[in-house]
Amino acid sequence: PGAFVVAATQPTGAKASFSNYGAIVDIAAPGTQVLSTLNAGTTVPAAMGYAWYQGTSMATPHVAATAALLLAANPDATNDEVEAAIKAGSTAFPGACTGCGAGIANVPGALADRIGFKNALAFSLAIYGVGYAVLGLAHDASIASLAP
């Protein structure tokens, strides 16, 4: 109780080979081919850069960011309301993902009931910028699938 368990998907929407899965999983998010920031320093900050990573540790921030945006839109929302909104707004799996939860986390989908679909899409893109288009929408079947 109290944990929101995230599975990782491939760009096809199927479960990533390394992902957790089963009845305990609540939602999935992109977990492979995720462009992440990094720092070359080993003991002190050094050159900034980017690298492609995979893991549930890459998937979970998508869900955490979705929850943060929901709370920004509705600061009085309870944990259960945030979880329900993320699940209800998720995109259906376009690939095989048995035991991966309610669907693939989808920021505009989760926000649509709170602030309207057009506002949710604009709000999401304003916060995420181009990175959202690359990391989020690239894993959805199409933007049209997000419309209510």
Side-chain angles (χ1 to χ4, degrees):
F4 199 47
V5 181
V6 180
T9 60
Q10 302 174 30
T12 62
K15 181 178 70 66
S17 62
F18 55 80
S19 182
N20 50 335
Y21 61 93
I24 194 170
V25 174
D26 294 297
I27 198 79
T32 60
Q33 300 177 16
V34 177
L35 186 62
S36 183
T37 58
L38 59 91
N39 187 292
T42 55
T43 60
V44 296
M48 301 299 290
Y50 299 92
W52 294 97
Y53 287 105
Q54 65 181 21
T56 52
S57 58
M58 294 289 106
T60 301
H62 287 85
V63 179
T66 304
L69 290 170
L70 279 164
L71 288 168
N74 184 0
D76 296 326
T78 66
N79 291 346
D80 289 341
E81 290 171 332
V82 169
E83 180 177 349
I86 292 171
K87 287 179 175 179
S90 65
T91 299
F93 295 105
C97 203
T98 303
C100 294
I104 298 173
N106 178 322
V107 174
L111 287 170
D113 286 343
R114 302 276 184 206
I115 61 176
F117 176 72
K118 288 181 182 176
N119 291 336
L121 184 58
F123 185 62
S124 301
L125 291 173
I127 298 296
Y128 273 98
V130 175
Y132 179 69
V134 173
L135 299 177
L137 297 179
H139 287 270
D140 291 336
S142 70
I143 190 68
S145 70
L146 305 178

